[in-house]
Amino acid sequence: MLKEIQNNRKNTIPRMRTIPNAYKEIKALDPNSNLSLRGLRNMIKNKEIPYVKTSANKYLINLDILLDKLMGIDYNNNNDITCTLWFKRRQ
């Protein structure tokens, strides 16, 4: 399944978005999302997702990679895919 996602995206143009526009698209997909604009900016600051800096204050991020990251799918430097499972700890 993960290889299919990677193969399907090889022949497509990346959906590059500014930080506010990526945030709006995530909110459109999931209005109840708890991701904040500040949280998204922190992900870029901490280099958790790749970005392209186009000017002094403008960053572009690949929307598909961001969505994969939020789903727990991560691409490492060797173009291999690793999957992180997120779970809620029982108390």
Side-chain angles (χ1 to χ4, degrees), residues 16-27 35-45 49-52 57-63 66:
M16 302 301 285
R17 303 290 187 266
T18 60
I19 298 170
N21 287 341
Y23 176 75
K24 286 177 189 175
E25 291 212 26
I26 290 170
K27 282 301 203 181
L35 180 69
S36 66
L37 188 57
R38 173 56 44 201
L40 187 54
R41 289 183 195 279
N42 283 338
M43 289 175 74
I44 291 170
K45 181 180 174 184
I49 53 174
Y51 61 87
V52 176
N57 294 324
K58 191 172 194 178
Y59 294 87
L60 297 177
I61 55 177
N62 185 319
L63 184 62
L66 172 62

Side-chain angles (χ1 to χ4, degrees), residues 5 14 24 34 39 83 86:
I5 293 171
K24 286 177 189 175
N34 288 326
C83 186
W86 299 93

